[in-house]
Structures are given as C-alpha cells and as structure tokens.
C-alpha cells in the first residue's frame, strides 16, 4: 500500500438500528482488508449479502447491503483481525519503515480489540488491590456453587451451605438450595419445549415432583410435545403455563389431568394459562379423548387459554366427590366436538355452583362438516348424580359452523336434570336456531342471547326424552324490554262471577270450555271435547267445586306459539292438556306427541285422552304457575284443570305466553260456542201484512236458549211502528212476535230477524 494505516483511538465496534430503507452503514475504524470486519444483524453473524469498501483507509469505510435490513433490526459492525504474524525480518536485511509501521499498526489494532473485549468481562475494580480470583481445581468445584467469601475472594459452596437474603428489611438468610426449590420448573427436569423432542417423561417427572413437595409447577415458553398422557396430582399446589402442551399420543386418553379422582377433594388450587393442543384432529367418536380433565375441584381458580382438536376440549368432573364453588376463565375452545363438558361420574359426586367466564367455542369450516357439535354440555355417566344446579356462564361466544348444513350446532346440550343454570350475554354466529337442547328434566334455565346471526327465532329444543320445560330465552336484541313480562291471553279472575246458568242443572263459564273425563259418542275433533255447559258443577261463594270427573280449560290456537303458562288459584288443582292437530283432529300418545310441564311430569291418560299432571300444582316443591310446552305438530290445545281423585274448589284461572306471540284464545264461535254468555241467531223473514194492533210470529232456532234467559229481537229494516218482542218459546227456540202498534195495517218487506240471548 502507498501509505501505512494510522490507527487512531477509535473503538473497533459501531452499532446501528436499521430503518428498513438504509443500505449503507459507515464503520469509522480502519481495517486492513475486507475480511477483517464482522457484520452482525440482530445478533447473528452474516457472511454474505453485503460489500465492504474502504479497507486500508485510516478513516474506515462503508458496508453496503444488497437488501436493506428490516426496520428495527440491530446492526453491529466490528473489526476482528486474524491473530497471525504476516511479516518476517531477514537477518542483515533492510528494515523498511512501512513494513515496521504496518506490523505495529496490526499490534495496536489487536490491542484495541482486546480492550474492547475486556470491557464486557467480570473483573476487579481499578481501585482495588490483591484478591484471589483463581478457580479451584475441577474436582473441587464439581457440583458446587461459585461465590465469594467474606473477603470478596472466589470460593465454592455446597447448595445447602451458601445463603442469600432478600435485599429488604426483615429478609432472612436462606440457602441457595432452598431458594431454588421454592418453585419448580419443567426445565429443571429436562423439558426442552422445541415442539420436536418428546418432553412427556420430563413433564411427568416435574409434575410428580410438584406433588411430592406440594409446590407450584411452571411450564415456561415453548411447545412441549408429549406422546404420553400427563397427570398433575392433587397434592401439587398448582400449575402455570406460558407455553403449550402438544399431545401426540394415542386416542382414548386425557392429554392433561389435573387433580385426584376418587373420594379426594382438591381444594383451593390455582391453574393458570393452560394450553393443550392435539397434534392431529380427533375422530370425535371416543369421548375418552379429552384435552384437559379437571377432577373434584373445590374453590379452585382455573384459567384455560386454549384447547384444540379433541372430542372433549375440557371436562370438569365430579368423581366420588363434588366439583363446586370454583371459577373457570375460558379462552379458545376450537375444533372440539364438545368444547366444555360439565359431568359427574358417580351417584356420590356432584357438579354444581361453578362460574364460567368467557369462552370462544368455534370450528373451522373444514372440521368434520358432517358431524354434530356442541359448545357446552352438561352430562352424567349412567347412574351418576344428575342435579347440576346453579352454574353461571358469562359472555360465551359460539361459532359452530352448522347453519345451512344438515348437522346440529347448538351452544348448550343439557342431558341432566339441572336447575338454575344462567347463561348471560351469549353470542351465536353460524349456529342452529336453538340456543340449547334439553334431553332430560332440566328446568329454570335462563339463556340471554345478546346476538344471533341466524335471526330472531332463537328457541330451546326439547327432545322426546325431555321431561321438564319452563326454561326461557331472553333475546336482548329482540325488543328485550317488552319481552321481560309474559302476555296474558285469558284471565278469569272470579269463577263464581264467570258462571253461566245454561239450565237448572247445567253450568258453563266465560272464556272457558267445560271438560269431561268421560266423553261418549263420536269424539275425534276439538269440538267434541269442549262443552258449553255440563252438570255436576257446584258453585260456591268465590268459585266452583269440580266434582264427578269435571274440568275447565282454555282453548288456544297453537299453530305458532308452543309455550304457555297456566296459573290457577285452587285447593288441589290437577293440570290437564289435550292436543289437536290439523283440522282440529285429536292427537294422542300413539301419534308420537309429547307434552311437557315445568314443575312436574305429565302422563297420557287413555280414558279422557289427555295428558295429566302426576301431582297437584300446589304440592310441596311445586309452584302454582306451570309452563306447558306443546309438540310441534300440535295446532290447537285445551289447557286447564280437572277433578282427579278428590273434589276441590277452583277460584280463578289465568293463561299467559311470550309477548312476542299473539295466539288466539278460542271460544264463542259457531264452531266452538263454549265460553260465551251471549247466544245469537238470525233468520230471514218476510212478515205478512199485519193489521192495526195485530201480531205475527216467527220461531228462530237458537242453540243454547233456555226458558228464563234474557232475550232480545230486532229486524234489519225500518219497522214503521212495528215492535219486535222475543221470548224463549221452547228449548233452543226463540219466538219472535211482530206487534203492529199503529192504527193502520203494515206490510214489511223481506228482512232479517236477529235474536240475542244473555245467560244469567
């Protein structure tokens, strides 16, 4: 080179933060050749993708990248010489200044690199003298801790000998071994977390150690693949995860089990950040294929972040003790046939009073498109306890990908006799129009739907095996304020005042049909079972005594509305429901019809051909208000009470339904004349010429007219002084008399005579 490099007091290292556009980066220190400089991007040494210019210049040079480093990338340029002698002086040779200067320049450059390296080392301060910093021999330091003695010299300690203190008032010395054992980590037992290594044995060893010591176990960042199912026994204090368990084992196993089963109660445990994924999608056929199985928890705090691709994502299980009084925070529950299964395993177990927060229950479009799926299931093993009461679900979201597909995708599947289940602020996206399916004796559930992409027809599906109804859907995106109260369809507040005397022996009631337990003759249509009046009703001061197989009921149009509520003020009311299909044809149990009530079982009684409650509505444990759910094929129904076993007094009756529906209450029509105090009829008549002061008569057929009834008559034309009088001429016949009160004959034209009978 023409002139030797001048080595100034410049650090042989420079740092930059890339902006994503800059390609050229200056290095301010000299290098002898392009190979004397190292380029690091985000801590990685790179050997290609850039060009070096300015080698041999005292002022440094430029590194030019072919592609600009990404924005935010850390770029480090540093000189790194090869430590070798590049010149050799010959005996009696010429000692050239340039050669000597170049050699000294390399030495200075190497010393600068050494000084730069030493700035990052552990060393004694410049103001200190003496001290012993030589490591003990290898055998003396093996399996021991390196530290400093009271003089500040290097020394080794056993783990149980060296002590540490928290740097705060009140801190006490503790051995390093005690400090390290304070909390266990899966990596303490060899877990790698690279998603490839089988970490199962290491994870299980860590879980066994946590149980043996009563410690809390940490599973750090990373993906921990396991080919064996894992169990954290109940003796462990808890588990925290920042990574994920990837289950690559066989089917028919729970990938992660938390807590002991049997008769052990696992109290006040904390499980945080749980993530369990399946390496391959389950077939959804084996219900033993579970992501996380949590057993016998009492007052636990459980945080589940993600569970994917199992038959059952998470199962909370009461084994021989209960699962109760705990709080679960739910995250992503994806591609599981049942996202959450609330279950009992024996008659001595229970699963009750648990609070669930959140939960995103979702499926991809490609995940088993031909198989049914459910978000949350309440279930029990055969013979196990089935009263899963008082669970609360706050804000679950369901995207089940079943809409417009021939499969079921329903948020809640209730297979037990649960009561008091509350689900609030539900989101339904791409689900069936049912928020829940009930298959047993569940009642008093409340499902609050905040949003449903499938429109406004959200309902509860009661299968043929369901024995109770009475649960409610609160669709708060459907005029919620109006729907909070039920709509009264028909109200008879005083049976005594509503009584209608049809004859000396027969009584009817306003808006109600009279019912009999022994209908004779042709009896296949609705009108064959609804009577205007019957005998054997004994009126009291406030109501009526049902005697001798008598009953009373409302008749309703049930083509659209299928759920009604009956309230009765009576001594021992026994509810009855009779069903009719298209054309008002009687439906029986043989037609596959099911009728359910909220607080009791209903049985079909062949004699009167109706469904009858198995208990009186004011028995202990029941309420006077009973909800009735009709089968889809029911088009009309009689809902009321009847005398069963003993006589009793009925004082008032009320029928209600959801205010979003407005079904008709059927009474007082030509086809169904029951329940009306008034009877009307009309007949065309062309009266003859009536002499002055004379009369003419006409008999008008009028079913229900009885001697003693109040009757009226009118004519459709101007009567020109002719007065029309009416009286009951005979049973079911009204005699109308036209009386000419004028002084001249009157000949009226053809018109219509109308009669009105008012029963007392």
């Amino acid at each position: 080179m023409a002139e030797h490099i001048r080595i100034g007091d410049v650090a042989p290292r420079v740092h930059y933060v890339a902006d994503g556009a800059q390609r050229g980066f200056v290095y301010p220190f000299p290098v002898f050749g392009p190979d004397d400089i190292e380029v690091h991007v985000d801590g990685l040494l790179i050997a290609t993708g850039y060009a070096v210019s300015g080698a041999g210049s005292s002022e440094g040079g430029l590194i030019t990248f072919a592609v600009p480093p990404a924005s935010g990338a850390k770029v480090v340029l540093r000189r790194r010489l090869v430590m070798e002698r590049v010149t050799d002086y010959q005996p009696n040779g010429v000692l050239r200044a340039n050669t000597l200067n170049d050699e000294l320049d390399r030495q200075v450059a190497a010393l600068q690199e050494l000084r730069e390296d030493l700035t990052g080392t552990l060393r004694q301060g410049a103001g200190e003298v003496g001290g012993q910093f030589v490591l003990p021999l290898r055998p003396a330091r093996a399996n021991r801790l390196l530290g400093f003695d009271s003089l500040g010299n290097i020394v080794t300690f056993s783990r149980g000998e060296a002590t540490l203190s928290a740097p705060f008032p009140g801190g006490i010395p503790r051995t390093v071994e005690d400090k390290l054992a304070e909390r266990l980590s899966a990596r303490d037992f060899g877990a790698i977390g690279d998603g490839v290594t089988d970490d199962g044995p290491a994870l299980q060893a860590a879980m066994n150690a946590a149980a043996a010591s009563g410690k809390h176990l940490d599973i750090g960042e990373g993906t921990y693949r396991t080919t064996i199912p894992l169990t954290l026994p109940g003796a462990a204090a808890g588990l925290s995860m920042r990574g994920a368990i990837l289950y690559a084992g066989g089917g028919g196993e729970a990938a992660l089990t938390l807590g002991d089963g049997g008769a052990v109660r696992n109290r006040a445990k904390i499980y945080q950040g749980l993530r369990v994924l399946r390496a391959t999608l389950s077939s959804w056929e084996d219900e033993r294929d579970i992501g996380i199985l949590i057993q016998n928890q009492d007052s636990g705090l459980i945080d589940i972040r993600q569970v994917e691709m199992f038959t059952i994502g998470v199962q909370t299980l009461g084994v021989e003790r209960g699962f109760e009084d705990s709080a679960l925070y739910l995250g992503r529950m994806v591609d599981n046939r049942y996202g959450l299964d609330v279950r009992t395993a024996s008659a001595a177990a229970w699963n009750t009073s648990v609070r669930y927060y959140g939960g995103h229950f979702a499926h991809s479009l490609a995940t088993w498109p031909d198989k049914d799926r459910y978000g949350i299931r309440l279930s029990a093993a055969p013979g196990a306890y089935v009263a899963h009461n008082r669970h609360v679900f706050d804000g679950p979201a369901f995207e089940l990908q079943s809409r417009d597909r021939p499969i079921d995708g329903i948020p809640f599947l209730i297979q037990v006799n649960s009561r008091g289940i509350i689900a609030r602020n539900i989101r339904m996206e791409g689900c069936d129009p049912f928020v829940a399916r009930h298959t047993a004796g569940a009642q008093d559930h409340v499902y609050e739907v905040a949003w449903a992409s499938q429109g406004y027809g959200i309902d509860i599906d009661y299968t043929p095996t369901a024995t109770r109804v009475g649960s409610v859907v609160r669709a708060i995106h459907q005029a919620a304020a109006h729907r909070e109260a039920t709509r009264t369809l028909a109200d008879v507040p005083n049976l005594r005042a509503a009584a209608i005397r049809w004859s000396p022996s027969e009584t009817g009631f306003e808006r109600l049909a009279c019912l009999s337990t022994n209908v004779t003759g042709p009896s296949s249509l609705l009108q064959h079972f609804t009577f205007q009046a019957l005998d054997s009703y004994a009126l009291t001061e406030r109501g009526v005594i049902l005697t001798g197989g008598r009953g009373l009921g409302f008749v309703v149009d049930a083509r659209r509305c299928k759920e009604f509520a009956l309230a009765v003020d009576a001594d021992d009311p026994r509810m009855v429901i009779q069903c009719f299909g298209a054309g008002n044809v009687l439906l029986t149990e043989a037609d596959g019809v099911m009728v359910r009530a909220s607080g009791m079982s209903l049985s079909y009684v062949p004699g009167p051909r109706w469904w009858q409650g198995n208990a009186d509505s004011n028995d202990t444990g029941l309420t006077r208000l009973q909800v009735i759910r009709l089968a889809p094929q029911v088009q009309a129904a009689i809902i009321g009470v009847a005398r069963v076993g003993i006589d009793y007094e009925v004082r008032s009756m009320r029928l209600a339904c959801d205010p979003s529906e407005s079904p008709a209450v059927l009474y007082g029509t030509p086809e169904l004349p029951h329940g009306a105090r008034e009877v009307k009829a009309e007949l065309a008549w062309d009266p003859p010429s009536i002499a002055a002061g004379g009369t003419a008569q006409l008999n008008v057929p009028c079913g229900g007219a009885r001697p003693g009834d109040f009757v009226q008559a009118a004519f459709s034309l101007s009567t020109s002084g002719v007065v029309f009088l009416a009286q009951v001429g005979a049973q079911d016949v009204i005699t109308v008399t036209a009386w000419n009160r004028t002084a001249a004959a009157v000949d009226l034209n053809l018109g219509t005579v109308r009669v009105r009978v008012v029963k007392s």
Side-chain angles (χ1 to χ4, degrees):
M1 58 184 65
E3 185 178 354
H4 70 85
I5 291 177
R6 290 180 176 84
I7 305 297
D9 188 13
V10 179
R13 174 194 295 263
V14 64
H15 297 221
Y16 294 97
V17 177
D19 61 7
Q22 181 180 354
R23 296 174 57 208
F25 295 84
V26 173
Y27 59 92
F29 47 83
V31 297
F32 297 96
D35 294 336
D36 293 337
I37 191 166
E38 286 184 352
V39 179
H40 298 258
V41 177
D42 283 338
L44 298 178
L45 175 65
I46 62 174
T48 60
Y50 61 88
V52 180
S53 60
S57 171
S58 301
E59 291 75 23
L62 185 69
I63 298 294
T64 303
F65 286 90
V67 177
S71 178
K74 296 178 177 60
V75 179
V76 176
L77 312 178
R78 75 168 186 165
R79 186 174 62 221
R80 206 66 174 170
L81 300 179
V82 177
M83 291 293 104
E84 62 177 349
R85 179 81 179 272
V86 296
T87 59
D88 191 16
Y89 301 106
Q90 300 298 318
N92 301 320
V94 177
L95 182 60
R96 299 183 181 277
N98 284 345
T99 303
L100 183 59
N101 286 332
D102 288 344
E103 189 68 23
L104 293 175
D105 286 341
R106 287 184 176 273
Q107 292 179 20
V108 172
L111 289 172
Q112 286 182 341
E113 293 178 15
L114 180 61
R115 183 178 66 179
E116 183 70 19
D117 289 344
L118 288 174
T119 59
T121 61
L122 182 68
R123 64 192 187 279
Q124 187 169 271
E128 294 189 52
V129 295
Q132 174 57 258
F133 299 101
V134 178
L135 289 176
L137 295 177
R138 188 183 300 273
R141 66 177 187 263
N143 295 317
R144 293 175 67 84
L145 301 175
L146 186 65
F148 299 91
D149 63 15
S150 60
L151 299 178
N153 295 325
I154 286 181
V155 67
T156 60
F157 302 91
S158 68
R159 292 187 303 175
E161 178 184 359
T163 61
L164 298 171
S165 297
F168 301 102
I172 62 173
R174 298 172 57 193
T175 66
V176 174
E177 186 173 69
D178 182 40
K179 183 66 176 177
L180 290 175
E182 186 172 69
R183 195 158 181 169
L184 298 178
S185 168
R187 284 191 164 88
D188 294 337
F189 297 84
I192 304 299
D194 60 4
V196 177
T197 304
D198 187 356
D199 287 322
L203 290 175
Q204 190 58 62
M207 292 179 182
N208 293 342
S213 61
K215 301 292 186 181
H216 193 99
L217 176 63
D218 273 335
I219 298 178
E221 296 81 355
T223 299
Y224 297 82
R225 181 175 175 272
T226 175
T227 58
I228 61 173
L230 303 171
T231 298
L232 179 67
L239 171 66
S240 292
M241 293 179 61
R242 292 180 299 280
I245 292 175
L246 179 65
Y247 182 67
E253 300 277 2
L256 174 62
T257 299
L258 302 176
D260 298 319
V264 177
R265 180 174 289 187
N266 304 289
R267 285 191 173 96
K269 304 300 179 183
I270 299 177
Y271 306 112
Q272 298 173 312
L274 305 181
R275 293 179 64 202
V276 179
L277 314 175
R278 207 174 189 278
T280 57
L281 179 64
S282 161
S283 68
W284 282 12
E285 299 301 326
D286 191 341
E287 293 195 4
R288 297 171 302 171
D289 184 6
I290 303 170
I292 303 176
L293 171 61
I294 313 172
Q295 303 183 119
N296 288 359
Q297 297 292 319
D298 184 356
S299 302
L301 179 61
I302 303 164
D303 166 33
I304 300 170
R305 293 169 57 199
Q306 185 179 14
V307 184
E308 296 191 5
M309 299 198 300
F310 293 88
T311 303
I312 297 173
V314 176
Q315 185 176 84
T316 65
L317 185 65
V319 186
E320 293 178 22
R321 299 292 296 181
F323 194 112
E324 62 184 345
D325 299 328
S326 296
L328 277 77
Y329 293 84
L330 306 176
R332 287 180 56 81
M333 320 288 281
V334 177
D335 287 342
N336 309 293
R337 184 165 204 168
Y338 306 98
L340 170 67
D341 186 27
V342 180
R343 188 170 178 84
T344 52
S346 71
W350 61 92
N351 199 323
T352 186
S353 298
V354 177
R355 299 162 300 283
Y356 299 88
Y357 300 96
H360 186 188
F361 301 85
H363 297 80
S364 69
L365 284 168
T367 301
W368 297 123
D370 58 341
K371 294 186 179 182
D372 299 338
R373 68 282 310 274
Y374 303 90
I376 297 169
R377 181 175 75 168
L378 272 63
S379 68
Y385 190 74
V386 293
H388 298 11
N389 300 331
R390 300 182 303 280
H391 291 278
V392 177
F393 299 88
D394 244 325
F398 302 90
E399 295 185 55
L400 303 183
Q401 304 295 355
S402 63
R403 186 177 178 185
D404 301 325
R405 289 182 170 186
I407 57 174
D408 290 332
I410 299 176
F412 288 87
L413 175 61
I414 312 299
Q415 298 177 326
V416 294
N417 301 344
S418 47
R419 299 189 71 168
I421 305 299
I422 308 295
R424 297 190 289 240
N425 199 21
I426 300 169
R427 173 175 172 248
M428 296 172 59
E429 192 79 32
C431 304
D432 283 11
F434 297 110
V435 67
R437 170 171 289 162
H438 290 197
T439 67
Q443 57 185 316
D444 301 329
H445 289 206
V446 177
Y447 302 100
E448 180 189 85
V449 180
W451 168 250
S453 66
Q454 49 274 63
Y456 299 108
I458 306 303
D459 201 355
I460 299 170
D461 178 35
Y462 296 96
T463 68
T465 57
T467 59
R468 294 286 190 276
V469 292
S471 299
V472 65
V473 178
R474 294 180 59 210
I476 63 175
H477 63 306
Q478 301 174 24
H482 176 67
R483 291 166 59 95
E484 285 302 303
T486 59
R487 172 181 182 268
T488 297
L489 288 181
D491 190 4
V492 184
N494 188 312
L495 265 292
R496 180 64 179 86
I500 304 171
R501 289 289 191 186
W502 284 90
S503 72
S505 62
E506 293 182 319
T507 305
F509 297 88
E510 292 182 41
R511 292 183 292 279
L512 295 170
C514 294
L515 309 178
S516 172
T517 61
N518 185 24
V519 177
T520 59
S523 52
S524 60
L525 300 176
L526 174 60
Q527 51 267 37
H528 298 154
F529 297 89
T530 55
F531 299 94
Q532 287 179 297
L534 291 171
D535 58 13
S536 299
Y537 290 107
L539 297 180
T540 66
E541 182 180 352
R542 297 185 179 181
V544 59
I545 301 278
L546 295 188
T547 64
R550 290 293 178 251
L552 293 169
F554 295 103
V555 183
V556 293
D557 183 338
R559 288 174 296 177
R560 288 178 53 85
C561 186
K562 302 298 180 184
E563 194 164 280
F564 299 87
L566 178 68
V568 180
D569 179 22
D571 294 333
D572 298 290
R574 186 65 63 96
M575 188 169 60
V576 296
I577 298 97
Q578 198 163 20
C579 299
F580 303 87
N584 288 338
V585 174
L586 177 69
L587 296 175
T588 69
E589 189 178 43
D591 298 306
V593 177
M594 278 291 293
V595 182
R596 304 171 186 85
S598 58
M600 65 176 68
S601 296
L602 299 174
S603 301
Y604 183 74
V605 183
R609 286 159 285 185
W610 60 35
W611 280 263
Q612 181 174 291
N614 64 352
D616 295 335
S617 294
N618 60 353
D619 278 2
T620 301
L622 298 179
T623 62
R624 292 179 182 271
L625 178 66
Q626 291 290 321
V627 175
I628 301 97
R629 181 83 178 198
L630 304 174
Q633 62 266 51
V634 177
Q635 303 291 292
I638 301 171
I639 301 172
V641 293
R643 189 266 192 194
V644 176
I646 60 173
D647 300 345
Y648 61 89
E649 183 182 49
V650 182
R651 292 170 288 276
S652 70
M653 297 176 64
R654 175 169 50 86
L655 188 69
C657 75
D658 189 318
S660 65
E661 300 286 352
S662 185
V665 180
L666 307 177
Y667 67 95
T669 65
E671 185 181 36
L672 299 169
H674 65 270
R677 189 178 290 275
E678 293 186 357
V679 180
K680 299 176 182 178
E682 61 181 40
L683 188 66
W685 189 28
D686 185 2
S689 178
I690 305 174
T695 61
Q697 290 187 330
L698 175 70
N699 288 328
V700 179
C702 183
R706 299 291 186 271
D709 292 342
F710 175 79
V711 294
Q712 293 175 308
F715 194 59
S716 61
L717 302 178
S718 174
T719 58
S720 302
V722 176
V723 177
F724 284 80
L725 306 174
Q727 65 182 31
V728 179
Q731 181 173 308
D732 299 327
V733 175
I734 303 298
T735 300
V736 177
T737 300
W739 174 28
N740 181 4
R741 299 180 59 189
T742 67
V746 175
D747 189 1
L748 298 175
N749 294 326
L750 175 65
T752 301
V753 173
R754 297 188 176 94
V755 296
R756 173 173 173 259
V757 178
V758 180
K759 311 295 290 186
S760 62

